[in-house]
């Protein structure tokens, strides 16, 4: 089967609204909405590095989209479309069917279109997705805006995906295979949050990126970390390791003034939000539990370890 036959069979949907020209040409064409900025991100998943080799192809398709939509959400933007670059060791129709269905299931749930990309042969299964979104001009939420006195918040629960990776077959493996990008929450934080990032490489490491970009420090309240039942059953050292260094959760970590936090609550969003600390002037990230300081050091995911 030739490259274009693969594209036509598995990755070509016709009549996509809000796309001037999509799959099948050299490039896609989009018309930007008025008074909007284009938000773009890209992420690559490599078999055996970013997901176990025996991962269900449907889950791989879902995750390849979801991790990129999470980056769009972390800017306060609304996702619009994706490009897919797919490198395959061989043509496996059952795998392609499952993968493309997972990809489209995620796209459909979040109102996203596949508008182009590339396919090629490679010794290693590799998926690179580029996501595009729109945000009102001047309202994107960067990493660099954290203010002293901000509340540090995180959505959902943290540490689940890392636990699922270590305990394949456990219910929490679904959090590893099928992350949920917080697109509605991200868009709701536009104009309210001062800084934001998605938790992909570990909460402590990713929060550290906000602190560095904003030239501030932070104190986290360990007892306030939102944990699932499985993590609550562990001892402190284990649960903190999963929650603060595990990564792959794709929750949103953001800083927000107390006043704007009250405004956020008035939106009555479905996503759970936990206040886990505060931004302070003293540089660095410190940890406290029940009023007692803890000297902890966490290393998140390292892409070249």
């Amino acid at each position: 089967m030739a490259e274009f036959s693969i594209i036509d069979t598995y990755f070509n949907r016709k009549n996509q609204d809000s796309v001037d020209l999509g799959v099948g040409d050299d490039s896609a064409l989009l018309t930007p909405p008025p008074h909007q900025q284009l938000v773009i991100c890209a992420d690559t998943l490599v078999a055996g590095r970013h997901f176990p080799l025996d991962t269900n192809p449907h889950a791989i398709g879902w995750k390849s989209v979801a991790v990129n939509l999470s980056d769009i959400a972390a800017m306060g933007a609304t996702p619009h479309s994706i490009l897919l670059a797919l490198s395959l060791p061989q043509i496996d129709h059952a795998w392609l069917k499952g993968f493309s269905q997972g990809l489209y299931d995620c796209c459909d749930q979040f109102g996203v279109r596949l508008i182009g990309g590339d396919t090629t042969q490679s010794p290693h299964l590799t998926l690179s997705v580029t996501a595009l979104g729109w945000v009102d001009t001047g309202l994107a939420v960067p990493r660099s805006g954290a203010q002293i006195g901000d509340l540090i918040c995180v959505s959902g629960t943290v540490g689940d995906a890392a636990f699922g990776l270590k305990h394949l077959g456990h219910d929490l493996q679904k959090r590893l295979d099928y992350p949920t990008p917080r697109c509605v929450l991200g868009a709701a934080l536009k104009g309210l949050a001062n800084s934001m990032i998605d938790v992909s490489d570990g909460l402590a490491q990713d929060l550290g990126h906000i602190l560095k970009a904003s030239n501030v420090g932070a104190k986290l309240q360990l007892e306030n970390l939102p944990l699932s039942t499985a993590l609550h059953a562990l001892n402190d050292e284990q649960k903190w390791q999963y929650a603060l260094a595990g990564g792959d959760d794709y929750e949103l970590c953001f800083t927000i003034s107390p006043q704007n936090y009250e405004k956020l609550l008035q939106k009555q969003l479905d996503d759970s939000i936990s206040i886990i600390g505060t931004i302070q002037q003293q540089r660095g990230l410190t940890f406290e539990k029940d009023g007692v300081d803890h000297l902890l050091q966490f290393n998140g995911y390292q892409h070249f370890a």
Side-chain angles (χ1 to χ4, degrees):
M1 177 176 274
E3 173 189 3
F4 296 108
S5 296
I6 294 174
I7 294 171
D8 286 338
T9 301
Y10 298 105
F11 302 108
N12 193 1
R13 285 183 171 180
K14 307 296 184 180
N15 302 321
Q16 299 189 84
D17 295 336
S18 75
V19 177
D20 299 325
L21 183 64
V23 174
D25 222 298
D26 289 325
S27 299
L29 294 176
L30 303 175
T31 300
H35 311 299
Q36 301 274 299
Q37 288 180 291
L38 176 62
V39 181
I40 310 172
C41 67
D43 213 338
T44 298
L45 301 179
V46 179
R49 177 70 174 174
H50 298 101
F51 55 86
L53 293 174
D54 60 352
T55 300
N56 186 298
H58 185 278
I60 299 172
W62 175 284
K63 188 169 185 176
S64 66
V65 178
V67 300
N68 283 273
L69 301 191
S70 182
D71 281 332
I72 297 292
M75 297 297 293
T78 298
H80 176 271
S81 49
I82 63 166
L83 301 164
L84 168 69
L86 178 61
S87 299
L88 297 168
Q90 60 188 7
I91 297 174
D92 182 333
H93 291 288
W95 189 94
L96 283 165
K97 181 178 180 180
F99 170 81
S100 60
Q101 187 62 58
L103 179 144
Y104 278 121
D105 283 348
C106 190
C107 285
D108 290 346
Q109 181 162 328
F110 296 98
V112 171
R113 300 96 177 146
L114 173 65
I115 61 172
D118 189 33
T119 58
T120 188
Q121 188 174 27
S122 168
H124 304 288
L125 173 62
T126 305
L127 312 100
S128 294
V129 171
T130 300
L132 300 87
W134 309 110
V135 66
D136 295 330
T137 300
L139 290 184
V141 185
R143 299 178 180 183
S144 57
Q147 301 293 313
I148 296 169
D150 274 1
L151 305 174
I152 302 169
C153 302
V154 69
S155 64
T157 54
V158 288
D160 293 344
F163 184 91
L165 180 60
K166 292 290 187 179
H167 302 82
L168 296 177
H170 190 279
D171 288 345
L172 288 183
Q173 185 181 343
K174 188 172 183 180
R175 290 271 285 146
L176 172 71
D177 292 342
Y178 290 93
T180 302
R182 304 299 181 181
C183 297
V184 173
L185 175 60
L189 285 164
K190 175 183 61 180
L192 293 179
N194 288 324
S195 66
M196 184 155 52
I197 194 170
D198 74 327
V199 181
S200 57
D201 296 332
L203 177 57
Q205 180 167 295
D206 289 324
L207 176 57
H209 296 319
I210 287 180
L211 303 183
K212 182 178 180 180
S214 303
N215 295 312
V216 294
K219 175 169 283 191
L220 290 190
Q221 306 296 327
L222 295 169
E223 68 272 20
N224 291 345
L225 292 173
L227 306 177
S228 61
T229 301
L231 269 68
H232 265 303
L234 304 175
N235 64 46
D236 283 348
E237 183 178 347
Q238 291 174 317
K239 70 176 66 171
W240 294 342
Q241 180 67 31
Y242 281 123
L244 293 167
D248 242 15
D249 289 311
Y250 299 99
E251 298 293 348
L252 294 180
C253 176
F254 59 95
T255 75
I256 188 170
S257 69
Q259 296 81 4
N260 281 348
Y261 180 75
E262 293 301 321
K263 294 179 182 178
L264 179 63
L265 294 182
Q266 293 173 12
K267 293 178 177 285
Q268 298 181 333
L269 300 169
D270 291 334
D271 299 294
S272 63
I273 300 169
S274 301
I275 300 173
I276 60 171
T278 55
I279 295 295
Q280 57 188 16
Q281 185 171 11
Q282 182 179 349
R283 301 293 178 83
L285 178 58
T286 59
F287 303 92
E288 182 180 279
K289 181 186 178 186
D290 301 325
V292 178
D293 288 340
H294 287 256
L295 297 176
L296 302 174
Q297 182 69 43
F298 294 101
N299 294 315
Y301 180 78
Q302 301 299 315
H303 293 268
F304 291 92

